[in-house]
């Protein structure tokens, strides 16, 4: 027997992260009963995004053109390449308005126990991008989680032999932070990585 | 909080527990670089080989020591081999490295042995030469070094790597380790 279109919709919604059978059912009823216009908009937007979005040839983030606007901007410094895990990280660094180089978005992180390795992250594409002869410094801005650290180390060891300067975002007590209210893990690491002034 | 010692209390009898308390115990520097990838390997070994809810205080202590040694950037291969040996011993695979299989005689330092899974070191002379291909040959000296946890010789380290890899692969039931695959792929890039 073919599943009904309702079952099909519930099953499809379960592909979202953190959505189990119950929430999927609730979402489906909501879309069909309470917000049909929203449902049509969602369907249209999803289809359109799938049609037009691709990965930027240079920075790997989502883009509607082969090379995204940021990478095509001649006012950005092409000698600096900042490597981040996700587009949200890129947006955060952009918000600081203190970085004028280019980016490369990994679209994930190395996670050995989940089987996400260099092949799944397409690190060969990153190597080709960073070794274009124009990039001089690579800034590793992956997260300060264990997976982010493993990713940073891996990328560094792949790019260092190619004559690039490699730097890593520094970490420590947050700006405006007081030691008394900072978590012990951060203070412990700040002590290990203390710098001379 | 991977690789960090935590003191935890939990309740509940089923598979899903309720966390009552978790306190960071500190003192363990974050792992970085290759040591971090080695840490993932240790974690995967434990997750794959140890049974859930089966306490192993000696193994827990050895894991803590191994992670601390990785944090101090000690010779990584020695840390890994030491942990692998203890893991197999603690899990009850009963590696008797100092005695020959069957006879139980002490291993001779100058002799060569073939290590046969679930039997132990068999003198090379007792093996049919036609079936020698693909077997793991170790020297008596290596076996005695390993029994004494002495990793100072390069040959001991090299043969220990082969021997332990063969044993671990066997106990994993042929399922490859993801962390090992990732390390291998990195070397190929």
């Amino acid at each position: 027997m073919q599943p009904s279109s309702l079952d099909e919709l519930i099953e499809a919604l379960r592909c979202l992260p953190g959505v189990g059978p119950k929430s999927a059912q609730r979402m489906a009823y909501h879309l069909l009963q309470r917000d049909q216009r929203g449902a049509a908009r969602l369907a249209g937007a999803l289809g359109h995004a799938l049609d037009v979005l691709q990965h930027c040839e240079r920075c790997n983030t989502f883009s509607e053109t082969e090379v995204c606007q940021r990478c095509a901007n001649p006012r950005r410094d092409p000698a600096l390449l900042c490597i981040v895990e996700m587009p949200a990280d890129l947006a955060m660094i952009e918000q600081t308005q203190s970085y004028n180089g280019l980016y490369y978005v990994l679209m994930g992180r190395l996670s050995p126990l989940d089987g996400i390795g260099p092949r799944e992250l397409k690190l060969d594409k990153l190597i080709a991008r960073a070794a274009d002869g124009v990039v001089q410094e690579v800034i590793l801005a992956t997260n300060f989680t264990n997976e982010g650290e493993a990713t940073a180390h891996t990328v560094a060891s792949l790019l260092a032999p190619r004559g690039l300067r490699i730097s890593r975002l520094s970490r420590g007590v947050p700006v405006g932070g007081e030691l008394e209210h900072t978590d012990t893990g951060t203070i412990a690491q700040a002590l290990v990585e203390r710098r001379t002034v | 909080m991977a690789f960090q010692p935590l003191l935890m209390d939990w309740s509940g009898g089923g598979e899903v527990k309720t966390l009552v308390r978790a306190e960071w115990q500190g003192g363990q520097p974050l792992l970085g670089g290759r040591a971090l990838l080695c840490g993932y390997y240790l974690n995967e070994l434990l997750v794959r080989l140890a049974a859930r809810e089966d306490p192993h205080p000696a193994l827990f202590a050895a894991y803590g020591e191994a992670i601390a040694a990785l944090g101090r950037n000690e010779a990584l291969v020695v840390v890994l081999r030491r942990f692998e040996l203890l893991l197999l011993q603690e899990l009850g695979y009963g590696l008797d490295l100092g005695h020959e299989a069957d006879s139980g005689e002490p291993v001779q330092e100058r002799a060569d042995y073939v290590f046969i899974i679930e039997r132990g070191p068999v003198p090379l002379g007792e093996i049919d030469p036609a079936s020698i291909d693909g077997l793991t040959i170790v020297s008596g000296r290596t076996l005695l070094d390993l029994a004494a946890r002495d990793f100072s010789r390069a040959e001991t380290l090299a043969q220990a790597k082969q021997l332990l890899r063969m044993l671990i692969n066997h106990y994993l039931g042929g399922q490859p380790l993801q962390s090992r695959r990732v390390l291998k792929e990195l070397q190929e890039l």
Side-chain angles (χ1 to χ4, degrees), chain A residues 9 141 180:
Chain A
L9 175 62
E180 191 189 347

Side-chain angles (χ1 to χ4, degrees), chain B residues 91-169:
Chain B
L91 293 180
Y93 293 120
L95 295 186
D96 189 0
L97 298 162
H99 297 90
E100 293 181 5
D102 310 335
S103 73
E105 295 286 314
V107 158
Q108 300 296 311
E109 186 176 334
R110 291 172 184 283
D112 278 331
Y113 292 87
V114 172
F115 198 98
I116 297 185
I117 290 167
E118 272 150 32
R119 251 178 95 193
V122 178
L124 189 57
E126 292 176 18
I127 302 286
D128 177 9
S131 64
I132 210 105
D133 264 7
L135 292 177
T136 306
I137 299 173
V138 286
S139 68
R141 179 76 200 272
T142 295
L143 289 169
L144 293 172
D145 280 351
L146 291 181
R149 302 286 188 274
D150 175 359
F151 296 93
S152 52
R153 288 167 63 246
E155 189 202 48
T156 303
L157 273 178
Q159 292 189 341
K161 182 176 179 176
Q162 285 200 331
L163 174 64
L164 287 163
R165 174 168 295 197
M166 177 206 48
L167 290 166
I168 286 171
N169 284 346

Side-chain angles (χ1 to χ4, degrees), chain A:
Chain A
M1 194 183 88
Q2 284 279 324
S4 76
S5 47
L6 179 62
D7 292 340
E8 181 85 27
L9 175 62
I10 293 172
E11 194 54 38
L13 284 167
R14 288 188 56 192
C15 76
L16 291 166
V19 173
K22 273 269 178 252
S23 337
Q25 197 179 44
R26 211 159 40 233
M27 286 179 191
Y29 286 139
H30 176 83
L31 287 172
L32 296 174
Q33 183 65 37
R34 306 249 169 250
D35 196 0
Q36 287 212 352
R37 200 184 308 165
R41 200 172 147 215
L42 177 64
L46 197 56
H48 183 65
L50 277 174
D51 272 344
V52 301
L53 283 183
Q54 51 184 322
H55 289 285
C56 167
E57 248 178 24
R58 292 173 55 76
C59 71
N60 200 38
T61 196
F62 292 118
S63 164
E64 293 191 6
T65 47
E66 260 183 34
V67 173
C68 72
Q69 282 185 350
R70 197 173 291 108
C71 288
N73 184 347
R75 284 203 292 272
R76 298 196 77 115
D77 182 358
L80 280 177
L81 188 70
C82 179
I83 298 180
V84 294
E85 290 179 16
M86 299 302 286
D89 304 324
L90 184 157
M92 201 63 211
I93 296 184
E94 279 297 281
Q95 265 186 36
T96 67
Q97 299 197 27
S98 48
Y99 177 70
N100 191 37
L102 295 174
Y103 292 91
Y104 186 89
V105 185
L106 291 167
M107 294 287 180
R109 75 216 73 179
L110 211 67
S111 183
L113 296 199
D114 303 318
I116 299 176
R119 202 184 311 148
E120 286 72 18
L121 276 186
K122 301 199 182 75
L123 288 185
D124 45 339
K125 189 178 166 190
L126 166 63
I127 294 175
R129 170 67 184 92
D132 67 350
V134 182
V135 174
Q136 284 175 3
E137 179 176 350
V138 170
I139 302 169
L140 300 170
T142 53
N143 288 325
F144 285 95
T145 57
N146 282 303
E147 277 93 359
E149 280 290 306
T151 312
H153 162 72
T154 305
V155 171
S157 58
L158 290 173
L159 295 182
R162 289 168 168 84
L164 292 156
R165 231 184 88 188
I166 316 277
S167 53
R168 173 92 171 106
L169 279 195
S170 67
R171 85 180 128 193
V173 182
V175 174
E178 292 175 27
L179 289 191
E180 191 189 347
H181 304 294
T182 308
D183 71 285
T184 34
T186 301
I187 297 179
Q189 200 57 25
L191 270 171
V192 173
E193 291 177 14
R194 68 185 182 276
R195 60 193 168 93
T196 35
V197 290

Side-chain angles (χ1 to χ4, degrees), chain A residues 112 115 119 146 153-154 184, chain B residues 24 33 36 40 178 181 185-186:
Chain A
R119 202 184 311 148
N146 282 303
H153 162 72
T154 305
T184 34
Chain B
W24 182 62
L36 176 55
Y40 277 120
Q178 299 286 0
R181 179 188 66 102
E185 276 180 30
L186 282 178

